[in-house]
Amino acid sequence: MSPYEIVFKINESIIKDKIISDDEKREISDILLKSVADKSTIEHFYSNMKIPKGNIKLTEIYPLFYIPPYNEGKKYRTITMVTPHTLMFTANAYELEILRILAIFDGQSEKVKDMLQRTKERISRMNFDSSCNIGEYFEISIVALRFIGTAFPEEIELIQNLIQVIKSHFGDKKRHSGTAFYYRLTLSELPNSIAVREISNIRGMLLQQLGKSYVMNSENDKYINVLDKYILRNCLTRLEEFKYIKEREPFVSEKDGRLHFDVKM
């Protein structure tokens, strides 16, 4: 599997609470570590990209370790099926999702620790609040939040600052539905002290969405709509009052062919 395929497979497994064996974790970590870009690949990538307006250094905007392979000119979709418009977004999502898996599977390795630390420092210097109206900085801020929440859950101030940026700018314009799904996914994984408060604030919306039926007309529907139901479930079960749905799964009704989730007590 390629690193990109691994990102999709492992994320889907974790979101759906599937067991990943220690052997599989080691195998995945080995593949990802062997996929770190070499010096010539990184230099070639940097020499071919256009620098966005502003004073942010190149190394603070773009990846340090994982360069998305050429994809016939197409941008790599995120795990919630958002197609980036910019190289900056697709490259950051590609690297940060890979590093997040390494943080979970091999976070005590010295090599991984170094990559995580250098990436955290890079993210910390990106001024998201003043840049969210430029390009796809807003979308990157959510990917960055997910990475930090997993790799550095003790960085409460940085996590809270990123959440504030996201909440402040979410309504600036119409967002792709996959962007909302990605933020919900991030909330479902954040440290409990932060997650409970933020999820409680949108509890009603999450519950209403979980109770809605979704179409299942295409392969895309079958992937993203099912994934979103699990994400909604995982968000709500961070709250004590919804622990009872933790083991429940979405299902397709024989009556209408639509995807449902039973939220009744």
Side-chain angles (χ1 to χ4, degrees):
M1 285 189 295
S2 69
Y4 183 67
E5 291 169 333
I6 287 171
V7 163
F8 271 77
K9 178 177 184 268
I10 296 302
N11 270 283
E12 188 171 6
S13 294
I14 292 174
I15 291 166
K16 294 181 178 180
D17 291 329
K18 293 182 179 178
I19 296 173
I20 302 171
S21 70
D22 289 341
D23 285 344
E24 187 175 9
K25 290 177 183 177
R26 282 191 290 270
E27 181 183 356
I28 292 299
S29 296
D30 287 345
I31 293 172
L32 295 181
L33 286 171
K34 289 175 183 176
S35 301
V36 173
D38 58 30
K39 184 178 179 181
S40 63
T41 299
I42 293 173
E43 288 177 350
H44 179 73
F45 175 79
Y46 274 52
S47 68
N48 281 295
M49 62 190 171
K50 298 178 181 178
I51 306 173
K53 294 179 181 179
N55 299 320
I56 303 174
K57 295 178 182 177
L58 219 59
T59 53
E60 294 171 4
I61 299 175
Y62 292 101
L64 299 173
F65 307 103
Y66 291 97
I67 305 301
Y70 180 69
N71 189 33
E72 298 181 353
K74 299 176 183 177
K75 304 293 191 302
Y76 286 92
R77 285 182 168 187
T78 68
I79 58 173
T80 57
M81 305 307 281
V82 177
T83 302
H85 297 295
T86 61
L87 178 60
M88 182 172 63
F89 180 21
T90 197
N92 273 282
Y94 183 84
E95 173 167 86
L96 292 178
E97 284 291 355
I98 292 172
L99 288 173
R100 181 179 174 275
I101 291 173
L102 282 172
I104 297 170
F105 288 177
D106 198 17
Q108 297 308 307
S109 148
E110 290 304 316
K111 182 175 182 178
V112 172
K113 281 183 179 178
D114 178 65
M115 291 193 293
L116 298 178
Q117 181 63 32
R118 289 173 62 187
T119 301
K120 182 187 76 171
E121 291 168 0
R122 175 173 81 83
I123 288 171
S124 298
R125 291 190 294 268
M126 291 179 73
N127 190 353
F128 287 108
D129 192 33
S130 63
S131 303
C132 267
N133 59 345
I134 301 174
E136 293 179 296
Y137 271 89
F138 176 83
E139 287 75 11
I140 297 170
S141 70
I142 302 179
V143 182
L145 173 63
R146 188 175 190 226
F147 166 77
I148 294 295
T150 297
F152 299 95
E154 73 283 358
E155 291 284 351
I156 301 300
E157 183 177 356
L158 178 55
I159 291 171
Q160 289 178 327
N161 287 343
L162 285 166
I163 288 175
Q164 187 55 45
V165 167
I166 292 163
K167 289 166 66 175
S168 298
H169 292 280
F170 212 109
D172 288 354
K173 64 179 182 179
K174 186 176 181 180
R175 306 285 180 187
H176 189 291
S177 60
T179 302
F181 296 165
Y182 201 102
Y183 183 52
R184 294 169 190 165
L185 171 60
T186 300
L187 290 181
S188 75
E189 301 160 337
L190 287 176
N192 204 55
S193 60
I194 296 174
V196 169
R197 181 186 67 243
E198 296 301 327
I199 292 170
S200 293
N201 289 338
I202 56 172
R203 167 192 176 283
M205 181 274 292
L206 295 173
L207 186 60
Q208 181 185 46
Q209 195 71 37
L210 185 58
K212 285 184 176 179
S213 65
Y214 290 177
V215 298
M216 296 287 276
N217 296 333
S218 66
E219 289 305 311
N220 186 70
D221 291 339
K222 292 173 185 176
Y223 168 76
I224 193 59
N225 288 347
V226 171
L227 199 69
D228 189 42
K229 288 295 185 189
Y230 278 100
I231 291 170
L232 288 162
R233 181 202 69 178
N234 294 347
C235 268
L236 285 168
T237 53
R238 300 297 298 275
L239 307 180
E240 193 63 36
E241 63 187 298
F242 293 109
K243 296 291 187 186
Y244 70 92
I245 65 171
K246 178 61 179 173
E247 304 302 322
R248 296 185 185 179
E249 298 185 346
F251 62 93
V252 177
S253 170
E254 294 182 359
K255 292 182 179 179
D256 60 13
R258 295 172 69 91
L259 186 71
H260 294 259
F261 193 100
D262 181 11
V263 298
K264 297 186 182 72
M265 286 285 284

